[in-house]
Amino acid sequence: MMLDAVDRRILAVLQEDAALSHAALSEKVGASSASCWRRVRALEEAGVLLAAVRLVDPEKVGRSVNVMCQVRMRSHAPDDRQAFESFLQTKPEVMEAHSMSGEWDYLLRIVAADVAGYERFLMRELLNHSNVATAASHFALSQVKYSTALPV
């Protein structure tokens, strides 16, 4: 899908506030309400716009410990990788999981209530997975930047 300037403005505005009405969106991007509605639907149908969600403050729900965990696998066989990735999908504390190049196979972002909660997850869940050889944990001291908005 080719994105024009109006499509890009729509994407930028919706990444900041997905709850805007079509009228408010159209005012912000300088297009008619009907045009915005059609464009938003086209962007959704093309898979450019995904689910609209509300962000939750981790501290206010008791998940203030943020850990970057590097994982090295025992096997890189497709079935073993798939089993590990399926395992990750079932763990709500795993916020992000990236297959990586280089020395480590995966980089995970894990949230926990406290260090003891992370240790329980690490020892009882992650390191107990049959294909995990080792893991290295890096605790975030503070969040310097966080954004869900992609540059468009």
Side-chain angles (χ1 to χ4, degrees):
M1 176 176 193
M2 295 298 296
L3 301 177
D4 65 15
V6 175
D7 291 328
R8 291 179 187 282
R9 285 195 303 269
I10 288 170
L11 294 174
V13 169
L14 287 178
Q15 287 185 94
E16 293 299 320
D17 187 356
L20 285 175
S21 68
H22 286 291
L25 176 62
S26 66
E27 185 176 313
K28 285 187 176 270
V29 302
S32 73
S33 185
S35 172
C36 273
W37 183 85
R38 283 191 305 273
R39 286 171 179 267
V40 167
R41 292 292 165 250
L43 291 164
E44 290 170 343
E45 289 171 9
V48 175
L49 278 175
L50 304 175
V53 299
R54 297 296 303 257
L55 301 177
V56 176
D57 184 328
E59 288 189 27
K60 294 200 168 109
V61 294
R63 294 290 180 163
S64 59
V65 174
N66 199 13
V67 184
M68 303 305 164
C69 181
Q70 296 168 301
V71 177
R72 187 171 297 124
M73 308 304 291
R74 294 183 197 281
S75 165
H76 295 96
D79 288 346
D80 293 330
R81 284 194 327 266
Q82 180 58 46
F84 180 67
E85 291 175 10
S86 294
F87 162 81
L88 293 176
Q89 294 296 329
T90 68
K91 303 302 172 191
E93 50 272 277
V94 178
M95 300 299 296
E96 296 178 48
H98 303 271
S99 176
M100 304 297 289
S101 64
E103 182 179 346
W104 295 92
D105 299 312
Y106 289 90
L107 177 63
L108 312 178
R109 184 171 72 87
I110 301 167
V111 295
D114 51 28
V115 174
Y118 175 71
E119 180 186 23
R120 278 190 300 279
F121 173 77
L122 179 67
M123 302 306 262
R124 295 180 187 168
E125 304 281 342
L126 190 62
L127 293 177
N128 270 338
H129 189 279
S130 61
N131 198 30
V132 172
T134 190
S137 302
H138 306 274
F139 288 79
L141 300 177
S142 65
Q143 189 174 75
V144 176
K145 180 180 178 181
Y146 173 77
S147 178
T148 62
L150 291 171
V152 292

